Amino acid sequence: MLKLLSLVILLTTYLLADSKVEIYATTMESSKNVVNASGGVTVVYKDYFLSADRAIYNRNTGELELFENVRANQGKDYQLLGKYAKLNIAKKERLFKPFFMLDKSSQVWMSADEGCAVDKDFSIKSGVMSGCNPNDPLWKMHFSSTSYNSDTKWLHIFNARIFIYDIPVFYTPYFGYSLDTKRRTGLLSPAMGISDTEGFYYEQPIYIAEQSWWDFELKPQVRTNRGVGGYSTFRFIDSKVSEGEFKTGYFSEKDDYFKKQNLAHDSHYGYNFLYNNTDVINQWLGTSFKGQSALYMDVNGMNDVDYINLSTNDTTENVTSSQVLSRINLFYNTQDNYFATYFKYYQDLTKVSNEDTLQKIPTFHYHHYLETFFDDHVLYNLDMQTNNIYREVGKHVTQTDLTIPLTVQGSLFDEYLNVSYKAYFYAQHSKFSGTEEVPSGIYENGYFARNYHILSASTQVSRAFDSFTHVVGFGSRYTTGGSESKDGFYKDYQEFCSKPINKDSKQCEFYNISDIEEQLQLDFTQYIYDESGSQIVYHRIAQSISYDKAQSSVGELENEFDYQITKGIKFYNNFFYNYDENSFSKMYNQISYNGSGFNIVLSHLYKDTFLAPTSTTTPYTSYITSSATYEYDKHYSYNIRYNYDYESGLKKSAEVGFLYKKRCWDFGLRYIENNRPILNDNGSSSIYDRYIYFTVNLKPMMASGGAPLFDYKLPQTMEGL
């Protein structure tokens, strides 16, 4: 459509310049100052060609009239303008009657009783346009008039009526459309919906782009039974290496809805700030360091989860996570060293207050990259981090970790066997501060230091057969502890916090030291590739053997298997088997099929922590996910999705729908359920949002795959369907 309308303007303004206009015809007769041309009349102007059966040119008035089969050509594009055209070179006036144009690339056509232009202003009266077959268009837009200015490149359509076949479905007294790709201030496509609880939903985005380096989008919305609100987004590019985005929003609940739904807040508000600068130190400090520096910011704040969920009427974008993370990362990186600081702030949306949530504000990180000596046989690096683990109330701590690994490596037996020895030095220091109303223990500053050793040996062999290649690898890794030293907090709580049953206790929330077990890790891997080099089979088995008398002598068996059964069928399995419990601690299976128009994925995740169940927690996780799409042909496609938490007996989400595509339009229908968390006076809970989405795209005016035109929200339920 853009190309069509742009070409209209180009063709109708072709006499504005002083360039030469040439007229060719089989027969020409001249009487006084009037020239009559007939038989294949062609008018040439620059790279445009106009043709007609007959033409009359008046030298005195400067008028050129074209009769019957008036056509225009530009390159490979062919356009039919109408039966009559009148062009006044001196007055820069153009008239086409009747007017018809077809753009072959987009297949958009426009027909009108009359089209005329004066200088840079162009107008069409009483017309119709569509992207469908002109003989029987599925959709068409009637209009009383249009106007266009070649400087502003903005098309104004008045009294636009959209018809589906001959049924009117939409009317607007005005419709504006830009004919170039430059960002412009104006209205964006609205979003509409209806719900029995929230009433009629309407959102009208307003887009403002007055300068090239920024734009602003304001999205006021109304939910007639629930309340009103608005969200805004300010985007900017402040330099060649940096850009950002700031979002904020507010929604006010009606009093009756607030009380009926037992919500925790009668208003919802928040903000989101994104910023990225890929050369921040040199830009901000005016330096010319050769290393790479960057700043990344993702800062979020809100009073509850509905701030996010009310920002859109699309339930597929609703929040299901109970935490919001804000991050600020700043680093400077050279060939040898890495310096960074990180800020992490967690907001728990299930809590009315976030004052007791642990935060990492800030983290300081230094890393010295790998150094090699003696022909790469000796390697070492260094890593150090300091974490300030803070909260507003209660105890908090500053912890510093130092890790220095030293590796000696080589190969034996003509490189068939690779061996290495790695010595680790690790230390952590904790400094406590803050007070507790109810003391959970005595926390003394302290340090923990130790060294441990890893000896590894591995080999890999391959063999090519007629139709496939087989690669087999064996590896072993022996780990043993060394000496250790500790005092303060670590000396007081090591024995208590090393027991798995105490890991989540209040006393151990700052204890993150894991014991070094003396163990042998054995693993076997194999690959099978076909003649083209594509992987058919990947298989890995890993088994640990512990020499620690306090632990089971045999650790969990891990098995990972990936098998491309056929070109379209694939199976993946990953499990951990616990010998002590004689049961699987984790089992994940996925099977997929892609072919003959189908794309089907079915997966199941099972976990068992082997801990005793409580009134609020269970040791088991059993989660099923499934999705399927089917493209019957180039017109019809279907999709279905179903996710179910088997352990809790809750359906997490479901969707079923179809999409019908034609060259000039798309029509889709989807039913969606989404389990959404909410915050009320009783704490956190969840409800099912259920929507029916209608998608209609009138191409090419609307982009395929865009937002739904209309949605209907079904009554909320605690159980779904």
Side-chain angles (χ1 to χ4, degrees):
M1 178 180 178
L2 174 62
K3 184 178 180 183
L4 163 67
L5 295 174
S6 299
L7 186 54
V8 171
I9 308 308
L10 288 171
L11 292 175
T12 55
T13 58
Y14 73 98
L15 293 176
L16 295 178
D18 296 331
S19 301
K20 182 174 64 175
V21 177
E22 302 175 73
I23 302 175
Y24 301 91
T26 303
T27 303
M28 279 194 182
E29 296 179 357
S30 178
S31 175
K32 296 182 179 179
N33 291 320
V34 178
V35 178
N36 289 275
S38 60
V41 177
T42 300
V43 179
V44 180
Y45 173 72
K46 295 183 178 180
D47 59 340
Y48 298 97
F49 297 86
L50 292 172
S51 64
D53 292 347
R54 185 167 58 90
I56 298 176
Y57 177 63
N58 190 310
R59 293 190 181 95
N60 292 333
T61 63
E63 290 183 349
L64 171 66
E65 296 179 276
L66 303 173
F67 301 90
E68 303 300 330
N69 296 319
V70 180
R71 303 170 186 269
N73 297 272
Q74 180 194 18
K76 297 181 180 180
D77 293 321
Y78 170 79
Q79 309 293 331
L80 174 64
L81 294 180
K83 294 182 179 181
Y84 173 77
K86 184 177 181 180
L87 314 172
N88 190 302
I89 299 174
K91 297 181 179 181
K92 301 179 181 179
E93 296 176 348
R94 290 83 68 203
L95 173 69
F96 304 91
K97 184 168 57 175
F99 176 83
F100 182 88
M101 179 169 281
L102 172 68
D103 177 61
K104 297 183 70 174
S105 61
S106 65
Q107 294 297 301
V108 174
W109 54 268
M110 179 183 293
S111 177
D113 295 336
E114 180 180 295
C116 61
V118 178
D119 199 6
K120 297 180 180 181
D121 296 314
F122 170 75
S123 63
I124 299 175
K125 294 183 178 180
S126 185
V128 60
M129 62 187 300
S130 177
C132 298
N133 190 323
N135 296 324
D136 186 24
L138 183 139
W139 74 267
K140 53 190 174 183
M141 178 187 290
H142 288 263
F143 53 85
S144 61
S145 62
T146 66
S147 63
Y148 177 86
N149 183 275
S150 59
D151 286 340
T152 64
K153 296 183 179 180
W154 187 266
L155 178 69
H156 303 273
I157 301 177
F158 300 94
N159 294 314
R161 293 96 66 199
I162 296 179
F163 289 76
I164 302 296
Y165 288 114
D166 292 324
I167 302 173
V169 296
F170 185 76
Y171 167 80
T172 177
Y174 171 78
F175 177 74
Y177 195 83
S178 176
L179 299 188
D180 63 1
T181 57
K182 183 180 179 181
R183 300 175 306 156
R184 294 179 180 276
T185 298
L187 300 179
L188 301 179
S189 299
M192 295 175 287
I194 192 168
S195 163
D196 68 327
T197 57
E198 298 185 358
F200 178 71
Y201 166 79
Y202 184 81
E203 180 185 81
Q204 178 58 69
I206 303 169
Y207 185 70
I208 301 173
E210 295 302 307
Q211 292 179 296
S212 60
W213 66 273
W214 66 268
D215 60 31
F216 180 75
E217 185 178 356
L218 180 64
K219 299 169 65 176
Q221 62 167 272
V222 58
R223 302 172 191 248
T224 54
N225 292 346
R226 182 169 183 177
V228 296
Y231 290 79
S232 63
T233 302
F234 176 74
R235 290 174 287 261
F236 61 91
I237 299 177
D238 57 329
S239 73
K240 294 181 179 180
V241 296
S242 58
E243 60 185 4
E245 175 182 286
F246 180 73
K247 295 182 179 180
T248 186
Y250 179 86
F251 189 91
S252 177
E253 302 279 4
K254 287 188 174 182
D255 188 61
D256 53 349
Y257 185 92
F258 165 70
K259 293 178 180 178
K260 184 177 180 180
Q261 298 296 324
N262 193 28
L263 298 178
H265 301 98
D266 60 0
S267 61
H268 317 282
Y269 49 86
Y271 64 89
N272 316 86
F273 179 68
L274 289 171
Y275 184 75
N276 186 39
N277 189 314
T278 57
D279 193 18
V280 61
I281 293 179
N282 287 334
Q283 185 193 51
W284 287 10
L285 301 182
T287 57
S288 55
F289 295 144
K290 295 182 179 179
Q292 179 190 10
S293 66
L295 171 65
Y296 173 77
M297 302 177 67
D298 181 4
V299 182
N300 307 281
M302 61 200 69
N303 68 330
D304 70 17
V305 66
D306 274 334
Y307 161 73
I308 301 176
N309 294 330
L310 287 167
S311 65
T312 176
N313 216 35
D314 187 350
T315 61
T316 60
E317 298 184 13
N318 278 354
V319 170
T320 57
S321 174
S322 61
Q323 281 196 337
V324 174
L325 171 64
S326 295
R327 293 180 296 168
I328 300 177
N329 297 338
L330 173 66
F331 75 84
Y332 178 72
N333 187 37
T334 67
Q335 185 176 354
D336 298 322
N337 300 288
Y338 175 86
F339 305 89
T341 182
Y342 318 121
F343 297 80
K344 288 186 178 181
Y345 183 85
Y346 300 89
Q347 184 175 7
D348 193 333
L349 298 176
T350 64
K351 295 181 179 180
V352 177
S353 173
N354 205 51
E355 61 183 8
D356 62 344
T357 302
L358 289 173
Q359 317 293 347
K360 288 187 177 181
I361 307 176
T363 294
F364 297 103
H365 186 195
Y366 169 71
H367 183 84
H368 182 75
Y369 289 114
L370 197 67
E371 294 273 8
T372 63
F373 304 95
F374 305 110
D375 255 351
D376 295 339
H377 290 299
V378 178
L379 309 89
Y380 91 95
N381 63 287
L382 181 148
D383 190 272
M384 183 171 64
Q385 286 196 38
T386 296
N387 294 287
N388 182 39
I389 304 174
Y390 173 81
R391 59 187 166 200
E392 294 181 34
V393 298
K395 284 286 186 180
H396 36 272
V397 66
T398 300
Q399 289 185 334
T400 300
D401 296 80
L402 175 66
T403 304
I404 304 176
L406 175 67
T407 304
V408 180
Q409 64 181 12
S411 60
L412 303 173
F413 309 114
D414 198 20
E415 298 187 349
Y416 272 93
L417 181 64
N418 299 312
V419 294
S420 69
Y421 165 73
K422 183 175 289 187
Y424 276 91
F425 172 78
Y426 173 78
Q428 183 182 89
H429 178 268
S430 292
K431 181 180 180 181
F432 294 92
S433 56
T435 58
E436 294 178 305
E437 291 185 7
V438 180
S440 58
I442 299 174
Y443 300 91
E444 294 186 1
N445 299 339
Y447 73 89
F448 178 91
R450 69 176 170 206
N451 70 309
Y452 59 99
H453 317 276
I454 297 177
L455 182 63
S456 302
S458 64
T459 186
Q460 187 177 81
V461 293
S462 62
R463 182 176 179 182
F465 296 88
D466 292 339
S467 58
F468 67 93
T469 299
H470 191 198
V471 180
V472 176
F474 298 91
S476 63
R477 186 177 65 181
Y478 174 73
T479 303
T480 182
S483 60
E484 66 177 42
S485 176
K486 56 186 178 291
D487 74 350
F489 169 72
Y490 300 95
K491 187 175 182 179
D492 296 338
Y493 287 94
Q494 182 182 36
E495 182 178 354
F496 178 80
C497 293
S498 295
K499 298 177 181 179
I501 195 172
N502 299 324
K503 184 178 64 173
D504 296 325
S505 65
K506 189 73 173 176
Q507 296 91 328
C508 300
E509 61 181 339
F510 300 120
Y511 190 90
N512 51 26
I513 302 296
S514 300
D515 291 337
I516 300 297
E517 296 182 27
E518 184 182 3
Q519 66 173 4
L520 177 65
Q521 179 82 24
L522 302 173
D523 62 80
F524 163 78
T525 58
Q526 63 174 331
Y527 304 84
I528 296 178
Y529 301 93
D530 63 13
E531 294 175 303
S532 65
S534 299
Q535 180 181 292
I536 303 300
V537 172
Y538 165 72
H539 184 212
R540 182 176 71 91
I541 299 175
Q543 176 66 66
S544 63
I545 301 173
S546 177
Y547 299 96
D548 191 341
K549 295 181 180 180
Q551 303 291 332
S552 173
S553 60
V554 181
E556 290 190 334
L557 173 68
E558 181 185 2
N559 182 84
E560 187 177 12
F561 182 67
D562 191 352
Y563 179 27
Q564 190 74 44
I565 302 173
T566 67
K567 185 177 180 180
I569 302 176
K570 185 177 181 179
F571 173 74
Y572 177 81
N573 168 267
N574 182 220
F575 71 75
F576 291 81
Y577 182 79
N578 190 294
Y579 294 99
D580 294 335
E581 300 291 340
N582 197 26
S583 179
F584 293 101
S585 63
K586 177 185 175 182
M587 172 78 75
Y588 178 75
N589 290 286
Q590 183 186 85
I591 188 166
S592 61
Y593 173 73
N594 191 352
S596 303
F598 288 95
N599 189 353
I600 303 171
V601 180
L602 177 65
S603 67
H604 175 251
L605 173 64
Y606 171 81
K607 286 184 178 181
D608 187 354
T609 62
F610 304 118
L611 298 175
T614 67
S615 58
T616 57
T617 61
T618 174
Y620 307 108
T621 298
S622 183
Y623 198 88
I624 299 171
T625 62
S626 61
S627 65
T629 60
Y630 174 56
E631 293 189 6
Y632 176 74
D633 55 23
K634 65 180 182 179
H635 299 302
Y636 292 93
S637 63
Y638 307 87
N639 71 286
I640 187 171
R641 174 174 56 87
Y642 190 86
N643 299 326
Y644 184 76
D645 190 336
Y646 185 81
E647 184 59 32
S648 63
L650 287 176
K651 174 172 53 178
K652 304 302 290 184
S653 63
E655 177 181 349
V656 61
F658 80 92
L659 182 65
Y660 178 71
K661 292 183 178 181
K662 292 283 284 185
R663 177 184 58 81
C664 66
W665 71 291
D666 295 343
F667 173 75
L669 183 65
R670 290 188 300 159
Y671 170 77
I672 294 180
E673 282 187 11
N674 188 46
N675 186 271
R676 174 169 61 90
I678 61 173
L679 186 66
N680 54 34
D681 287 339
N682 299 322
S684 60
S685 182
S686 65
I687 59 175
Y688 284 96
D689 284 330
R690 303 183 299 153
Y691 280 83
I692 296 177
Y693 289 100
F694 299 90
T695 299
V696 178
N697 293 319
L698 307 180
K699 297 184 289 188
M701 291 177 59
M702 299 179 180
S704 184
L709 177 66
F710 185 81
D711 63 76
Y712 174 65
K713 186 176 183 180
L714 298 170
Q716 293 173 342
T717 174
M718 302 298 290
E719 298 180 357
L721 292 181

